[in-house]
Amino acid sequence: MMRNPRSLIADSRASAATEMALLAPFLVLLMLGSVDLGNYLLSEHAVQKGVRDAARYASRLPITEYPACVPSSSAETQIQKVARTGEPDGTTARLVGWTDDTMTNVTVVCSPVGTYTGIYSVYPFPDGVPVITVAAAVPYESLFGVIGLGSVSLTLNAESQSAVFGE
């Protein structure tokens, strides 16, 4: 027995299931996007914390580690490791994409202008007080790329400075 076409059009028993089937992909995409945004913000925070920790570590190294306003190679390696792993001799990175210590750049700038007081008046600073800048550029590993929904190419950038006051 064939149903009347008008009764099929008026029938709304499966409309909720049809609407859900149409909206489900958008809801899943919205949910995954929210999770990925949270992951991005967490990763950005980890990079910022890494360079801040490294600058603080570098500022407390002995002043002899910065002859002529250039960090010694051992000090530079330790500072890069602190930024990437949290420890001067660490091996486990804070982030999946932070694969190499050289993603962290360590620079020292000395300003010979000025009269120094406090701790800076004790040491002779012919080149000026060393100020450490630690910067990192780390590629962001999107969750969409991990589950195979495409790759997002973003870089997490952070920078921190601190004056050296270690003895």
Side-chain angles (χ1 to χ4, degrees):
M1 176 165 150
M2 185 178 238
R3 294 182 76 183
N4 185 355
R6 285 187 182 170
S7 67
L8 287 175
I9 293 173
D11 191 0
S12 62
R13 285 183 290 187
S15 65
T18 304
E19 290 171 1
M20 187 60 187
L22 291 172
L23 290 178
F26 297 110
L27 293 175
V28 169
L29 187 62
L30 182 64
M31 183 178 64
L32 288 176
S34 299
V35 171
D36 198 34
L37 177 63
N39 184 53
Y40 174 82
L41 294 174
L42 181 66
S43 299
E44 184 178 41
H45 175 72
V47 173
Q48 289 174 350
K49 183 176 180 351
V51 297
R52 193 172 48 239
D53 290 349
R56 187 172 32 248
Y57 176 82
S59 71
R60 293 167 192 242
L61 287 175
I63 196 72
T64 55
E65 292 290 337
Y66 306 101
C69 285
V70 176
S72 67
S73 62
S74 65
E76 185 173 11
T77 301
Q78 289 176 350
I79 295 165
Q80 289 172 332
K81 283 194 178 297
V82 167
R84 189 173 72 85
T85 67
E87 299 177 17
D89 56 355
T91 56
T92 305
R94 296 173 192 257
L95 290 174
V96 174
W98 207 340
T99 57
D100 192 13
D101 290 339
T102 59
M103 291 178 174
T104 306
N105 187 21
V106 179
T107 56
V108 179
V109 175
C110 293
S111 176
V113 180
T115 304
Y116 304 114
T117 61
I119 189 171
Y120 300 111
S121 63
V122 176
Y123 297 103
F125 290 104
D127 298 322
V129 174
V131 176
I132 303 293
T133 302
V134 180
V138 179
Y140 172 65
E141 298 283 331
S142 172
L143 295 178
F144 285 115
V146 171
I147 61 173
L149 292 177
S151 179
V152 177
S153 177
L154 297 173
T155 302
L156 303 166
N157 295 302
E159 181 177 292
S160 186
Q161 281 187 336
S162 186
V164 175
F165 60 91
E167 294 187 32

